[in-house]
C-alpha cells in the first residue's frame, strides 16, 4: 500500500489551498461583498422618508379655480381641467327662490363668457358647515358687471355635485340707459335672508347629516 505524505507546514498548506481553491475563495469574497453592499443600500432606502401623493382638498381646488379668474382674458380650454377637477359630472346649481336648476354645461358656458371678459375673482369666505356641506361666498367683477354670490356646496368624491344659491347680487352697467353721457347702474338681487339660508342648508343635507351624527351617538 502506498503511503500518502501530508505536509503539516502552515505555509505550504496555505499555498496549496490557495492554488487549488483560490478562485472559489475569490468568488465567495466577491459574493459576500455584493450582499453587504445591497444590505447597506437597503438601509439607506429605509432611512429616506416615504413620499405620499395626496389629492388636493375641495377648498384647494376651489381656491385654484377662483385664482384662474385673474383679470386676464383667456379661452376656457386653458382652465377646463381645473373646472373638471372641481365640479362633478352631475353638478347642478339651484337658484333657491325660483327653484331653477342650472346644469353643469350652462355653468361652463357662463364661465366661458366670464373668462373671455377678463373677469377677476376674490373669495369672501369658505366655511365647512357639515360633513359634505360648505358655505362659500365670492365676488366676480369685470368692466361690465360685478357679481357677489353666496352658495352652499354639497361635495361628493372630492368635487362639488350640487350648489344651493343663498344670495346673489349683480351690479351691471346698462349701455342702453344713457343720459347726458352717463350710464345708469342696474341691480339684480336674489333673496338674502335667514329663511333662504335655512332652506338651502336643509336641501344640501347639512342638517340631516348633523341629525344622523346625534342619533349615532
Amino acid at each position: 500500500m502506498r503511503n500518502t505524505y501530508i505536509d503539516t507546514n502552515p505555509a505550504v498548506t496555505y499555498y496549496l489551498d490557495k492554488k487549488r481553491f483560490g478562485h472559489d475563495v475569490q468568488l465567495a469574497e466577491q459574493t459576500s461583498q455584493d450582499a453587504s453592499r445591497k444590505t447597506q443600500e437597503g438601509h439607506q432606502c429605509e432611512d429616506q422618508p416615504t413620499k405620499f401623493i395626496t389629492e388636493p382638498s375641495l377648498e384647494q381646488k376651489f381656491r385654484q379655480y377662483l385664482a384662474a379668474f385673474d383679470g386676464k382674458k383667456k379661452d376656457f380650454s386653458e382652465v377646463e381641467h381645473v373646472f373638471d377637477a372641481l365640479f362633478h359630472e352631475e353638478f347642478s346649481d339651484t337658484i333657491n327662490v325660483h327653484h331653477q336648476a342650472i346644469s353643469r354645461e350652462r355653468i361652463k358656458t357662463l364661465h366661458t363668457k366670464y373668462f373671455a371678459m377678463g373677469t377677476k375673482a376674490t373669495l369672501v369666505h369658505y366655511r365647512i358647515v357639515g360633513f359634505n356641506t360648505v358655505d362659500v361666498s365670492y365676488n366676480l367683477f369685470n368692466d361690465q358687471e360685478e357679481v357677489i354670490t353666496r352658495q352652499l356646496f354639497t361635495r361628493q368624491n372630492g368635487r362639488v355635485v350640487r350648489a344651493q344659491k343663498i344670495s346673489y347680487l349683480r351690479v351691471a352697467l346698462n349701455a342702453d340707459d344713457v343720459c347726458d353721457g352717463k350710464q345708469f347702474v342696474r341691480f339684480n338681487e336674489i333673496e338674502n335672508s335667514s329663511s333662504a339660508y335655512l332652506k338651502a342648508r336643509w336641501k344640501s343635507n347639512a342638517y340631516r347629516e348633523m341629525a344622523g351624527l346625534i342619533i349615532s351617538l
Side-chain angles (χ1 to χ4, degrees):
M1 183 176 65
R2 184 178 178 181
N3 295 328
T4 302
Y5 173 75
I6 300 176
D7 193 340
T8 58
N9 187 326
V12 175
T13 302
Y14 173 78
Y15 173 77
L16 293 175
D17 288 346
K18 185 175 181 181
K19 185 177 181 181
R20 293 174 57 194
F21 307 111
H23 182 64
D24 295 336
V25 171
Q26 291 175 359
L27 289 178
E29 291 177 351
Q30 183 177 358
T31 303
S32 177
Q33 292 174 357
D34 292 342
S36 177
R37 184 172 62 254
K38 290 182 179 179
T39 302
Q40 292 177 355
E41 292 175 353
H43 288 313
Q44 290 177 356
C45 293
E46 292 176 358
D47 294 338
Q48 294 178 356
T50 304
K51 295 182 180 179
F52 295 96
I53 300 176
T54 57
E55 183 180 354
S57 66
L58 182 64
E59 181 176 359
Q60 291 173 326
K61 294 177 182 179
F62 184 60
R63 288 180 180 275
Q64 183 182 9
Y65 187 63
L66 287 186
F69 290 94
D70 55 6
K72 299 178 182 178
K73 296 181 179 180
K74 60 186 68 175
D75 189 82
F76 187 77
S77 60
E78 300 178 40
V79 295
E80 188 168 8
H81 65 286
V82 187
F83 178 91
D84 292 337
L86 177 62
F87 295 101
H88 195 278
E89 286 81 0
E90 299 179 1
F91 171 80
S92 65
D93 187 352
T94 302
I95 299 177
N96 203 32
V97 176
H98 305 292
H99 304 286
Q100 298 174 347
I102 301 176
S103 67
R104 185 177 190 268
E105 290 304 314
R106 285 187 60 186
I107 292 295
K108 184 182 290 188
T109 301
L110 177 62
H111 289 193
T112 299
K113 170 187 163 186
Y114 281 146
F115 279 113
M117 295 169 64
T119 302
K120 192 168 184 178
T122 56
L123 179 64
V124 178
H125 71 245
Y126 184 99
R127 301 168 184 160
I128 298 175
V129 295
F131 289 129
N132 294 309
T133 308
V134 182
D135 179 353
V136 300
S137 179
Y138 54 93
N139 183 20
L140 300 172
F141 56 94
N142 52 51
D143 292 337
Q144 300 182 29
E145 63 181 358
E146 180 173 0
V147 177
I148 303 174
T149 304
R150 185 181 180 189
Q151 297 171 298
L152 285 182
F153 284 165
T154 301
R155 56 186 174 186
Q156 179 178 321
N157 298 328
R159 292 191 290 175
V160 181
V161 70
R162 183 168 62 253
Q164 296 282 336
K165 197 178 284 351
I166 300 172
S167 64
Y168 173 86
L169 175 63
R170 178 175 178 268
V171 181
L173 289 174
N174 193 326
D176 297 330
D177 294 339
V178 179
C179 181
D180 296 331
K182 298 180 180 179
Q183 289 181 318
F184 290 91
V185 177
R186 289 186 176 273
F187 293 86
N188 294 328
E189 186 173 4
I190 291 178
E191 176 181 8
N192 183 8
S193 63
S194 58
S195 62
Y197 179 75
L198 295 176
K199 193 184 301 181
R201 284 201 67 174
W202 176 256
K203 288 188 175 182
S204 68
N205 294 325
Y207 289 132
R208 278 170 278 187
E209 289 171 358
M210 295 174 62
L213 176 63
I214 295 173
I215 292 173
S216 64
L217 294 176

